[in-house]
Amino acid sequence: MSRETISQSISFVHPIHLSHGNNAEVWDTSGKRYIDFVGGIGVLNLGHCHPAVVEAIREQATRLTHYAFNAAPHTPYIELMDRLTAFIPVGYPVSGMLTNSGAEAAENALKIVRGATGRTAVIAFDGGFHGRTLATLNLNGKVAPYKQKVGVLPGPVYHLPYPSADNGVTCAEALKAMDRLFSVEIDVNDVACFIIEPVQGEGGFLALNIEFAQALRRFCDEHDILLVADEIQSGFGRTGQRFAFSRLGIEPDLILLGKSIAGGVPLGAVVGRKVLMDNLPKGGLGGTYSGNPIACAAALATLDVMTDEHLQTWGTQQEEAIVSRYEAWRAQHLSPYLGRLTGVGAMRGIELACADGTPAHKQLAQLLNLARDAGLLLMPSGKSRHIIRLLAPLTIEPAVLEEGLDILEACFKQLV
């Protein structure tokens, strides 16, 4: 099978050709089985081909495959927005719009905050990731490979250290950096919003410092700055709750959604305070494919399955399995490269570090290959690509999860 017709600027973590999947397992075109700890990079919280999602797609495809919502509203979009806004755990009136992806949700959020505040500057965070579109590139908290060779990016955007127990950056250090930013770089009155991930995804599954989150919320309120939470990867049960911002004790003004919102079908959303979502002129939001009927049907089925009871049970079971296994590995000194366990809930990362504490990125690359050969797919993350992010479906069978962890354990022992 040739890849000559595919842009060479697209990279592949695993050089295999997948054929089909079921829940937490996939098979390549040669028939080899893999346990999937990648989950489409956080898209498949309900696993591959969840029966309820598949049936919803099949049924909707017999009725209406597409209509542009801006041209004529259709029922699946309206029903989904009613359900989705009710699913957001905040105390204020919520409205929103559907998009084709998380990056597109971020792009629309930038338009919304500009329209609401009359300001243009955005504050993002080191290690953050918000997309690959031109505007979202500048939000990302790393240069390589996303910002290379693309010239001047839309802005202005400024970055602050991301405070987390997982990276050693304290709340005090982040607040000091913020004070310097507004003393030296930009007038606070020019800032439209802060955009932050409650748990960084590509940054290495780093959980945001709760004290900082609450201080940031107060700061935004004092200066009429909007707070945007990027829940594209951390949302829809990945941390054991509907959304990760709930653990922080704050309510963001806008929330970015995507990935697991529709069980594997492309869909995203930006939702938040109704007064903000309604501030642009009619026609200022929308898109030809945004809120496609089939995607909406898949999302409705996803929400049916994602009850609070299910999310808590799945999240707790997966978290306990990962944490208990990791603690056993540490106790038995499994590998000199086994570093910290990052993240919260079932959104966990395993750091690979050398004896001097430097990132063991070479060993992570080795681990990816060893695990794949043994039938386990893993995904790297972190500034130095030295953290394995575990994104198995929340619905993974306990025996399959343990089998995957067994493979991971065996591979750690082989690292050199």
Side-chain angles (χ1 to χ4, degrees):
M1 189 178 297
S2 173
R3 294 180 181 169
E4 290 302 312
T5 56
I6 298 173
S7 169
Q8 297 303 298
S9 295
I10 298 174
S11 64
F12 306 99
V13 175
H14 297 290
I16 58 177
H17 297 159
L18 294 181
S19 168
H20 59 285
N22 180 54
N23 200 12
E25 300 166 274
V26 292
W27 288 261
D28 66 19
T29 50
S30 71
K32 181 174 179 178
R33 167 187 176 263
Y34 303 87
I35 296 172
D36 187 5
F37 278 12
V38 177
I41 316 184
V43 170
L44 298 166
N45 283 359
L46 295 185
H48 294 272
C49 303
H50 190 284
V53 175
V54 171
E55 180 55 34
I57 292 170
R58 180 183 294 115
E59 195 277 335
Q60 181 59 45
T62 66
R63 302 177 63 188
L64 185 69
T65 57
H66 176 69
Y67 214 86
F69 192 74
N70 296 71
H74 53 78
T75 301
Y77 191 119
I78 297 169
E79 289 183 352
L80 176 57
M81 288 308 303
D82 285 346
R83 292 279 306 282
L84 185 60
T85 53
F87 191 70
I88 306 298
V90 294
Y92 53 74
V94 176
S95 70
M97 66 165 295
L98 297 175
T99 64
N100 296 300
S101 67
E104 199 175 281
E107 288 267 358
N108 280 279
L110 294 177
K111 292 194 299 185
I112 292 164
V113 298
R114 285 186 175 208
T117 66
R119 307 172 183 177
T120 58
V122 178
I123 312 298
F125 289 82
D126 297 353
F129 181 83
H130 304 284
R132 287 185 172 89
T133 57
L134 200 62
T136 57
L137 287 182
N138 212 11
L139 301 178
N140 295 343
K142 61 183 293 188
V143 172
Y146 309 115
K147 302 181 187 181
Q148 294 175 323
K149 298 184 68 174
V150 294
V152 177
L153 295 168
V157 175
Y158 301 84
H159 289 85
L160 291 173
Y162 183 90
S164 170
D166 297 318
N167 64 4
V169 177
T170 67
C171 173
E173 289 169 335
L175 290 175
K176 183 178 180 180
M178 189 162 73
D179 181 66
R180 180 207 167 275
L181 179 70
F182 295 127
S183 297
V184 177
E185 301 287 348
I186 183 174
D187 185 345
V188 69
N189 296 306
D190 291 335
V191 177
C193 72
F194 285 79
I195 181 168
I196 194 165
E197 297 163 277
V199 183
Q200 282 194 347
E202 180 156 320
F205 282 11
L206 312 180
L208 183 62
N209 180 288
I210 295 176
E211 181 185 1
F212 177 80
Q214 296 179 357
L216 181 61
R217 177 70 273 182
R218 291 192 297 270
F219 183 88
C220 288
D221 291 340
E222 291 168 4
H223 296 280
D224 295 322
I225 298 172
L226 300 179
L227 181 57
V228 181
D230 183 336
E231 290 269 9
I232 293 165
Q233 188 164 163
S234 58
F236 294 98
R238 179 46 61 181
T239 63
Q241 300 171 281
R242 297 182 189 183
F243 300 99
F245 72 79
S246 295
R247 64 174 284 275
L248 302 174
I250 63 168
E251 291 186 351
D253 299 300
L254 293 175
I255 305 160
L256 310 182
L257 308 175
K259 290 195 179 286
S260 281
I261 188 174
V265 179
L267 189 67
V270 52
V271 298
R273 297 185 186 277
K274 183 171 174 56
V275 65
L276 300 177
M277 294 299 310
D278 294 348
N279 87 86
L280 291 176
K282 285 190 178 299
L285 298 176
T288 302
Y289 284 100
S290 302
N292 169 271
I294 292 177
C296 289
L300 284 164
T302 297
L303 289 177
D304 284 340
V305 177
M306 283 189 173
T307 65
D308 288 333
E309 182 180 1
H310 280 163
L311 294 180
Q312 184 175 6
T313 299
W314 295 333
T316 299
Q317 288 177 346
Q318 194 166 138
E319 178 183 21
E320 289 177 349
I322 293 169
V323 172
S324 63
R325 185 64 74 93
Y326 170 81
E327 290 176 346
W329 294 341
R330 292 289 285 183
Q332 62 192 241
H333 305 288
L334 178 70
S335 168
Y337 300 106
L338 181 64
R340 294 177 295 181
L341 183 70
T342 65
V344 294
M347 193 171 181
R348 294 288 180 166
I350 300 177
E351 178 189 51
L352 276 71
C354 299
D356 61 1
T358 57
H361 55 87
K362 292 182 180 179
Q363 284 72 27
L364 186 142
Q366 182 188 9
L367 183 64
L368 291 177
N369 292 334
L370 288 169
R372 182 177 62 251
D373 290 344
L376 174 67
L377 299 181
L378 299 173
M379 188 73 190
S381 66
K383 182 179 179 180
S384 301
R385 286 175 68 90
H386 68 295
I387 299 175
I388 291 293
R389 46 178 155 172
L390 303 178
L391 285 168
L394 297 173
T395 52
I396 187 172
E397 297 90 345
V400 177
L401 177 59
E402 291 298 330
E403 183 185 355
L405 294 173
D406 286 343
I407 295 173
L408 185 56
E409 178 179 326
C411 293
F412 259 111
K413 293 178 180 178
Q414 301 176 56
L415 295 180
V416 295

